[in-house]
């Protein structure tokens, strides 16, 4: 019955049959401020604060994978009607934003915040495969390009790692850009949004200091990810070294025994007691690796803010909350 109702609603929406009063039920993403991923949503929520003049939504459903997301027709319509649209500008959203949104959007009406533009090309890092993941990732690239040679060609377009928000300095710059866009969208409340952004940037500064001092006072400087690795910006910011099973946006959830063997050697060489997975992971690779090293390691979660679980979303968990959890995990893993 529920399924039928959903189908019926979806069909009616597509045909434009419903009255405006019931439109909200088929386009729950409709809002004044719309972000593709959780990080942008969180930053906009902080800027907006308690102010009810602007509504806010995240396109991604909580608990789902950013890299699997494709916009529906109602999502596109919602973005075109928004006052502020926030996206990453990288692997997971640049393509559809460039083809479905940018040619149609009225930039007088909708402020667009592209995180890549905000950070600036000079501060972007090229995608790189973690040491132990290399072979596996290269294999996937070959599948995708079908020629296998493109990988080394100079004329190949530079692919930047998209996870810019994992750097605290970048996060502060993005919050500030979102504040500017929100102020343009609702000029009457500029003072409130400016004060909110300043307060959040102060929180981010505090987190930044705490991460730095945790790392400074730790004996080890290396982390092992038995998972995807979307933390290049974070690791570079704090000078940590790392190894991982998969690249940042890899679509695979499995790795060869070769990759496991390489990570096992790293664990033994570096006296590693904790290995990481990222949020919403199946933890399959981590469990395999753990048993390969006779359960001598424990598995911790590193929150990367692509998305959050349904419960965390409902409870209003923030980027700052999750970075605090990351600090706890770091202080275990680095000592
Ligand atoms: Zn990604």
């Amino acid at each position: 019955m529920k399924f039928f109702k959903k189908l019926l609603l979806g069909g009616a929406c597509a045909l434009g049959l419903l009255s405006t009063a019931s439109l909200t039920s088929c386009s729950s993403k409709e809002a004044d401020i719309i972000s593709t991923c959780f990080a942008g949503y969180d930053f906009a929520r902080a800027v907006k604060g308690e102010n009810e003049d602007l509504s806010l939504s995240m396109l991604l459903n909580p608990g789902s994978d950013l890299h699997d997301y494709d916009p529906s027709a109602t999502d596109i319509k919602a973005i075109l009607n928004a006052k502020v649209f926030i996206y990453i500008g990288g692997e997971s959203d640049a393509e559809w934003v460039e083809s479905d949104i940018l040619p149609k959007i009225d930039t007088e009406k909708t402020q667009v915040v592209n995180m890549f533009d905000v950070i600036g090309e000079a501060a972007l890092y090229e995608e790189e495969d973690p040491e132990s993941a290399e072979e596996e990732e290269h294999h996937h690239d070959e599948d995708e390009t079908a020629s296998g040679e493109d990988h080394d060609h100079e004329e190949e377009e530079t692919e930047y790692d998209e996870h810019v928000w994992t750097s605290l300095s970048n996060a502060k710059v993005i919050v500030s850009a979102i504040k500017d866009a929100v102020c343009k969208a609702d000029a009457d409340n500029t003072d409130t949004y400016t004060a909110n952004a300043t307060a959040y940037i102060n929180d981010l500064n505090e987190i930044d200091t705490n991460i730095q001092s945790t790392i400074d006072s730790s004996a080890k400087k290396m982390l092992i990810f038995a998972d995807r690795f979307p933390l290049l910006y974070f690791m570079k910011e704090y000078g940590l070294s790392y190894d991982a099973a998969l690249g940042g946006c890899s679509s695979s959830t499995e790795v060869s025994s070769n990759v496991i063997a390489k990570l096992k050697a790293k664990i033994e060489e570096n006296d590693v007691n904790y290995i990481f997975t990222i949020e919403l992971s199946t933890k399959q690779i981590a469990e395999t690796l753990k048993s390969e090293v006779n359960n001598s390691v424990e598995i911790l979660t590193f929150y990367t803010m692509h998305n959050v679980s349904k419960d965390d979303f409902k409870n209003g968990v923030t980027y700052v909350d999750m970075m605090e959890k990351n600090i706890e995990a770091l202080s275990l893993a680095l000592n």
Side-chain angles (χ1 to χ4, degrees):
M1 184 58 199
K2 212 173 169 188
F3 177 70
F4 177 68
K5 203 174 161 190
K6 205 174 157 193
L7 250 181
L8 190 69
L9 255 178
C13 280
L15 295 168
L17 293 179
L18 295 180
S19 68
T20 42
S22 53
L23 259 180
T24 44
S25 59
C26 56
S27 182
S28 58
K29 307 294 180 186
E30 235 168 66
D32 297 315
I33 309 170
I34 299 180
S35 171
T36 55
C37 71
F38 178 76
Y41 171 85
D42 174 80
F43 300 158
R45 180 176 53 188
V47 169
K48 185 179 112 52
E50 303 287 299
N51 196 306
E52 297 295 329
D53 292 350
L54 296 176
S55 53
L56 169 68
S57 78
M58 176 168 79
L59 283 181
L60 203 56
N61 288 322
S64 69
D65 190 333
L66 174 67
H67 306 93
D68 294 338
Y69 170 79
D70 262 323
S72 67
T74 46
D75 289 349
I76 290 173
K77 199 171 154 245
I79 297 167
L80 296 175
N81 286 327
K83 291 181 179 160
V84 179
F85 172 53
I86 305 156
Y87 74 111
I88 301 163
E91 183 157 342
S92 57
D93 61 16
E95 214 177 293
W96 66 259
V97 171
E98 275 158 27
S99 65
D100 299 339
I101 303 295
L102 297 186
K104 292 177 222 159
I105 205 158
D106 175 358
T107 50
E108 292 286 306
K109 203 183 80 190
T110 310
Q111 308 297 318
V112 177
V113 179
N114 171 347
M115 292 187 191
F116 268 28
D117 284 351
V118 169
I119 299 302
E121 194 168 0
L124 297 177
Y125 292 121
E126 278 185 46
E127 263 184 2
E128 57 181 62
D129 293 330
E131 203 182 320
S132 293
E134 218 149 47
E135 196 180 318
E136 205 79 0
E137 290 297 301
H138 188 64
H139 181 71
H140 284 291
D141 288 342
E142 280 175 11
D143 287 350
E144 275 164 27
T145 59
S147 78
E149 293 296 317
D150 287 3
H151 205 69
D152 303 318
H153 280 190
E154 258 179 57
E155 63 268 27
E156 193 190 354
E157 215 184 303
T158 314
E159 285 260 24
Y160 291 113
D161 187 296
E162 73 171 352
H163 312 96
V164 289
W165 64 86
T166 64
S167 143
L168 271 286
S169 332
N170 288 350
K172 290 177 232 170
V173 177
I174 299 165
V175 169
S176 181
I178 291 174
K179 182 260 295 169
D180 291 343
V182 173
C183 287
K184 271 189 200 156
D186 178 22
D188 291 350
N189 291 305
T190 295
D191 290 351
T192 309
Y193 301 137
T194 305
N196 291 345
T198 305
Y200 204 61
I201 289 171
N202 283 341
D203 290 349
L204 294 172
N205 276 329
E206 204 176 302
I207 288 285
D208 191 3
T209 309
N210 291 346
I211 295 171
Q212 192 63 60
S213 64
T214 302
I215 293 168
D216 289 347
S217 61
S218 298
K220 296 174 189 167
K221 307 289 175 201
M222 183 199 217
L223 301 176
I224 302 272
F225 284 78
D227 210 326
R228 291 199 297 228
F229 180 73
L231 288 158
L232 192 61
Y233 292 86
F234 183 93
M235 297 294 148
K236 291 210 187 242
E237 183 147 275
Y238 298 107
L240 292 171
S241 64
Y242 61 88
D243 201 357
L246 294 163
C249 291
S250 174
S251 54
S252 25
T253 50
E254 283 172 24
V255 291
S256 68
S257 54
N258 197 16
V259 171
I260 296 288
K262 284 187 198 168
L263 290 174
K264 183 185 173 189
K266 274 273 166 72
I267 290 173
E268 287 163 355
E269 266 165 47
N270 295 283
D271 185 28
V272 169
N273 300 316
Y274 296 90
I275 57 173
F276 283 89
T277 60
I278 61 172
E279 72 279 1
L280 307 170
S281 167
T282 61
K283 299 194 178 165
Q284 226 175 300
I285 300 170
E287 295 292 355
T288 307
L289 185 57
K290 184 179 173 179
S291 68
E292 275 298 310
V293 293
N294 300 317
N295 300 317
S296 65
V297 293
E298 277 187 56
I299 302 170
L300 298 171
T301 300
F302 201 108
Y303 295 89
T304 70
M305 275 65 98
H306 278 87
N307 199 357
V308 292
S309 69
K310 280 181 191 161
D311 279 347
D312 281 348
F313 191 78
K314 211 169 64 201
N315 295 330
V317 165
T318 70
Y319 178 103
V320 166
D321 294 336
M322 285 187 285
M323 275 296 176
E324 272 167 0
K325 285 194 195 173
N326 287 342
I327 295 176
E328 281 170 34
L330 280 175
S331 54
L332 281 175
L334 296 174
N335 285 294

